[in-house]
Amino acid sequence: MNRKLISEFYPDLLVADGFDEAIIGVARTFNNLSVAYDTKKCLEILMTRDKMTRDDAQEYFDFNIVRSYVGENTPTFIEL
């Protein structure tokens, strides 16, 4: 699933800008949907795009992305 399909079928879901290549689908919990991302791919994007080390990418990801609550449909990050 990609960002275009998500916006077409689930227009209310929020996305993490700059991480489209890490989208793996839509996560469903009790009464909530969210865009699901592959954590490993997100880290690879940070290391490649932003030229971060693995440790820097992990720290940035943990504090600035995963901990960012932006509402009911906040994206989900999955470790495969």
Side-chain angles (χ1 to χ4, degrees), residues 6-53:
I6 290 169
S7 65
E8 183 178 331
F9 291 102
Y10 305 99
D12 295 335
L13 297 187
L14 303 173
V15 294
D17 290 329
F19 294 96
D20 291 357
E21 294 172 10
I23 293 173
I24 56 175
V26 174
R28 184 180 306 264
T29 57
F30 176 65
N31 63 349
N32 191 44
L33 294 174
S34 63
V35 178
Y37 292 85
D38 179 339
T39 295
K40 182 178 176 183
K41 288 182 183 178
C42 290
L43 294 172
E44 289 171 359
I45 290 168
L46 289 170
M47 290 185 294
T48 303
R49 181 190 68 201
D50 300 338
K51 299 184 181 8
M52 293 183 180
T53 65

Side-chain angles (χ1 to χ4, degrees), residues 40-72:
K40 182 178 176 183
K41 288 182 183 178
C42 290
L43 294 172
E44 289 171 359
I45 290 168
L46 289 170
M47 290 185 294
T48 303
R49 181 190 68 201
D50 300 338
K51 299 184 181 8
M52 293 183 180
T53 65
R54 173 83 165 112
D55 289 341
D56 288 343
Q58 185 70 59
E59 182 177 349
Y60 181 87
F61 181 76
D62 290 342
F63 288 99
N64 298 294
I65 298 172
V66 174
R67 291 187 182 182
S68 295
Y69 180 77
V70 290
E72 186 175 302

